[in-house]
């Protein structure tokens, strides 16, 4: 995948493109500079995994002095948590969007699943970034807490949509268990698609998740 395509797929996570990175001595508002560092850190993770998540590489990517990172974050771990929260923003956005969906539970389910099968969530560009973050979650208590918050919000939105459909159809299902299974399936298919898209396609992955849900709820209009 070319650098330009990677940047395009990560664009929903970034408020500005790499070409818009600020000059070294530009005077910018604090929140703009902070966002710039988060964006640079995400690009470093996407390009080289956790090995590329260093003060030197991030400051070089952002075109700023090394000291600016410590000025806006309480060290590299604080920046890592900010990156994780930015990377999971799409899940939270999808979950919140269900509150404003016109229609019933079926439409809410579509809202959540469609978000998970489009960039930046379902993209090859973010594979190294996500694998690096998941590896850190296992040993970093702050990241683990952030992961739990974002995962619970996402799973609850999916659980609520499944519960709604089950009620409409008078079906008895463990909605949370089905939501957890669906998320695990999505994650596994996404990783396989990133590694070898000749084995799994985006459309095929989405169809497989719907089929798992339909096995418990009945046929759904897609």
């Amino acid at each position: 995948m070319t650098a330009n395509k990677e940047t395009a797929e990560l664009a929903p996570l970034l408020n500005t493109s790499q070409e818009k990175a600020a000059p070294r001595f530009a005077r910018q508002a604090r929140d703009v500079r902070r966002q710039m560092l988060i964006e640079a850190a995400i690009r470093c993770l996407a390009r080289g995994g956790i090995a590329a998540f260093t003060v030197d590489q991030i400051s070089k990517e952002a075109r700023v002095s090394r000291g600016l990172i410590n000025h806006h974050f309480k060290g590299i771990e604080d920046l890592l948590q900010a990156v994780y929260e930015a990377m999971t923003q799409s899940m939270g956005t999808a979950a919140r969007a269900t509150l404003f969906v016109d229609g019933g539970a079926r439409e809410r389910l579509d809202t959540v699943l469609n978000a998970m099968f489009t960039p930046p969530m379902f993209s090859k560009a973010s594979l190294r970034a996500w694998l690096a973050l998941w590896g850190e979650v296992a040993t970093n208590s702050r990241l683990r807490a952030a992961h739990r918050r974002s995962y619970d919000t996402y799973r609850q939105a999916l659980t609520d949509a499944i519960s709604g459909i089950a009620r409409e159809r008078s079906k008895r299902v463990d909605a949370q268990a089905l939501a957890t299974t669906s998320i695990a399936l999505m994650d596994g298919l996404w990783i396989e698609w990133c590694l070898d898209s000749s084995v799994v396609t985006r459309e095929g992955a989405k169809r497989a998740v719907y089929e798992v849900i339909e096995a418990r709820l009945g046929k759904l209009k897609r």
Side-chain angles (χ1 to χ4, degrees):
M1 181 178 292
T2 66
N4 287 340
K5 188 170 182 181
E6 286 187 354
T7 300
E9 288 200 337
L10 285 172
L13 293 173
L14 311 177
N15 288 339
T16 58
S17 66
Q18 186 172 1
E19 288 73 19
K20 292 182 181 179
R24 182 174 178 131
F25 298 107
R27 293 183 178 180
Q28 299 171 292
R30 179 180 177 83
D31 58 341
V32 174
R33 290 196 298 266
R34 181 182 171 88
Q35 180 64 28
M36 177 185 66
L37 290 170
I38 292 172
E39 293 171 1
I42 290 174
R43 291 194 298 269
C44 286
L45 275 178
R47 185 168 58 241
I50 200 65
F53 198 85
T54 66
V55 171
D56 283 341
Q57 292 203 42
I58 295 168
S59 59
K60 182 178 179 180
E61 179 71 22
R63 305 177 194 175
V64 299
S65 66
R66 296 174 81 257
L68 195 64
I69 292 178
N70 288 328
H71 180 71
H72 290 283
F73 300 93
K74 297 176 182 178
I76 197 72
E77 284 197 9
D78 192 37
L79 175 55
L80 185 63
Q81 181 173 354
V83 164
Y84 186 86
E85 290 172 351
M87 292 285 287
T88 58
Q89 185 176 11
S90 291
M91 288 190 290
T93 299
R96 289 189 295 272
T98 62
L99 299 175
F100 307 99
V101 170
D102 291 329
R106 179 68 189 83
E107 287 73 21
R108 294 197 298 275
L109 178 65
D110 278 340
T111 297
V112 177
L113 293 185
N114 285 335
M116 294 305 106
F117 283 100
T118 55
M121 299 307 298
F122 206 93
S123 72
K124 296 182 180 180
S126 61
L127 174 63
R128 284 186 296 271
W130 276 115
L131 292 180
L133 289 170
W134 285 337
E136 292 299 303
V137 164
T139 58
N140 186 312
S141 60
R142 291 181 64 192
L143 277 192
R144 191 157 55 246
H147 167 74
R148 177 51 52 202
R149 289 192 299 271
S150 63
Y151 181 86
D152 286 349
T153 298
Y154 168 38
R155 183 177 62 177
Q156 190 60 52
L158 193 54
T159 297
D160 289 345
I162 290 171
S163 294
I165 296 172
R167 284 194 300 271
E168 291 171 1
R169 300 184 174 190
S170 299
K171 298 280 189 178
R172 295 185 63 182
V173 299
D174 184 337
Q176 187 175 89
L178 184 53
T180 301
T181 298
S182 299
I183 293 170
L185 179 59
M186 278 186 272
D187 288 344
L189 290 170
W190 167 70
I191 291 173
E192 189 58 43
W193 174 73
C194 287
L195 296 176
D196 187 354
S197 56
S198 69
V199 176
V200 178
T201 65
R202 181 184 276 119
E203 295 73 21
K206 186 175 181 179
R207 184 169 58 251
V209 172
Y210 268 102
E211 288 173 352
V212 166
I213 296 174
E214 287 174 336
R216 301 300 305 278
L217 297 178
K219 192 67 176 177
L220 298 170
K221 183 179 179 181
R222 304 179 197 176

